[in-house]
């Protein structure tokens, strides 16, 4: 289990995904060149033998292209597996054993992220600490003023969603609720953070409700 929490797991996925996209893009560029060369040859006067050989070359290239696509999808599936953070085997229908284990391990994930975001030495995560953790070294010169302001605004909205009690500080149980709500996006709480949750609107009222409901288990 990642000691850096859910965000660390997400970063691992993004890095793997980015490498796959980069490698696949390079391969596609090479295929495009080869297809272009073949199409150019088709414009020339060819003997029957040359034409048949070119057809075979084209068929082989198409097969290699499809294999590259399938390999890319296979790699994407591999890096895109749900982030399974539950240590050990648990039956999710057995609430008596699963819920305590789930609470414990979402707590570890939350604490891991909070430790990595902490900068002011105070309990909990402030808005400034959270924004710094999400934006990193990005600034207006890199994102453009409009893009930077939008990123800051979104980080603030997500912070306010996590900060259920509205005291301006993210506590561990609030971050646990946030992660549990992410986990519950697919309609289940199975001890996994699904990559599908990357596209979820964390600022919605429905998502906030999920956080509040999970916190009932932390009372």
């Amino acid at each position: 289990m990642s000691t850096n929490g859910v965000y660390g797991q997400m970063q691992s996925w993004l890095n793997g995904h980015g490498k796959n996209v980069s490698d696949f893009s390079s391969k596609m560029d090479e295929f495009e060149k080869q297809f272009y060369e073949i199409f150019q040859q088709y414009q020339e006067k060819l003997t029957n033998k040359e034409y048949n050989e070119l057809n075979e070359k084209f068929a082989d290239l198409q097969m290699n292209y499809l294999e590259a696509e399938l390999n890319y999808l296979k790699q994407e599936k591999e890096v895109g597996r749900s982030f399974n953070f539950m240590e050990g085997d648990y039956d999710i229908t057995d609430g008596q054993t699963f819920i305590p284990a789930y609470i414990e391990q979402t707590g570890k994930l939350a604490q891991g992220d909070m430790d990595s975001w902490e900068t002011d030495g105070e309990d909990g995560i402030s808005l400034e600490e959270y924004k710094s953790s999400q934006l990193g070294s990005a600034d207006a010169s890199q994102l453009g003023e409009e893009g930077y302001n939008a990123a800051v605004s979104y980080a603030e909205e997500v912070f306010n969603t996590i900060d259920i009690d509205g005291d301006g500080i993210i506590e561990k149980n609030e971050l646990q609720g946030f992660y549990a709500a992410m986990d519950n996006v697919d309609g289940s709480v199975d001890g996994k953070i699904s990559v599908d949750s990357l596209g979820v609107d964390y600022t919605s009222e429905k998502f906030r409700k999920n956080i509040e409901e999970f916190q009932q288990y932390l009372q």
Side-chain angles (χ1 to χ4, degrees):
M1 181 171 63
S2 170
T3 56
N4 292 325
V6 175
Y7 277 80
Q9 294 184 38
M10 283 186 174
Q11 193 59 54
S12 296
W13 175 79
L14 290 171
N15 290 341
H17 170 68
K19 184 178 185 306
N20 283 343
V21 171
S22 177
D23 291 346
F24 184 64
S25 178
S26 296
K27 289 179 181 178
M28 290 301 101
D29 288 342
E30 184 59 34
F31 278 123
E32 185 177 352
K33 292 177 184 177
Q34 293 181 52
F35 276 122
Y36 179 77
E37 291 174 359
I38 289 177
F39 291 145
Q40 289 295 101
Q41 293 176 46
Y42 272 122
Q43 308 306 313
E44 302 172 3
K45 291 184 178 180
L46 303 171
T47 64
N48 285 338
K49 180 181 178 182
E50 290 173 332
Y51 185 79
N52 290 333
E53 289 176 346
L54 192 58
N55 279 342
E56 289 181 9
K57 184 178 179 180
F58 181 62
D60 288 341
L61 188 59
Q62 284 183 307
M63 183 62 68
N64 291 336
Y65 177 87
L66 291 174
E67 287 179 353
E69 279 195 320
L70 289 172
N71 187 51
Y72 167 72
L73 293 174
K74 180 180 179 181
Q75 290 176 326
E76 279 294 275
K77 182 178 180 181
E78 188 63 32
V79 300
R81 291 181 185 280
S82 296
F83 307 130
N84 190 353
F85 62 81
M86 292 295 288
E87 295 176 335
D89 295 322
Y90 295 93
D91 179 0
I92 66 172
T93 64
D94 182 5
Q96 191 170 9
T97 58
F98 179 78
I99 291 175
Y102 187 85
I103 290 172
E104 177 186 357
Q105 296 188 59
T106 51
K108 289 181 181 179
L109 291 173
Q111 192 63 59
D113 280 332
M114 292 179 71
D115 288 346
S116 67
W117 299 343
E118 179 61 53
T119 59
D120 63 11
E122 301 292 330
D123 290 340
I125 300 299
S126 68
L127 175 59
E128 291 308 311
E129 287 175 317
Y130 182 75
K131 287 195 295 185
S132 177
S133 74
Q134 302 309 297
L135 299 174
S137 60
D139 56 29
S141 65
Q142 294 173 298
L143 303 177
E145 186 172 353
E146 184 177 350
Y148 179 74
N149 289 339
V152 169
S153 178
Y154 186 70
E156 290 174 348
E157 286 185 58
V158 175
F159 178 90
N160 290 331
T161 296
I162 301 172
D163 181 23
I164 293 295
D165 62 13
D167 65 354
I169 297 293
I170 292 177
E171 282 88 19
K172 179 181 174 181
N173 69 330
E174 291 174 327
L175 194 56
Q176 279 182 267
F178 177 64
Y179 291 159
M182 289 169 60
D183 193 18
N184 198 36
V185 164
D186 62 359
S188 66
V189 179
D190 57 7
K192 295 182 179 181
I193 302 298
S194 172
V195 294
D196 293 337
S197 64
L198 292 173
V200 172
D201 181 5
Y202 300 145
T203 66
S204 69
E205 186 61 30
K206 181 179 179 180
F207 193 85
R208 188 180 177 87
K209 273 289 186 186
N210 276 340
I211 299 176
E212 293 174 340
E213 288 171 2
F214 180 75
Q215 284 186 307
Q216 294 175 11
Y217 292 112
L218 304 178
Q219 301 302 321

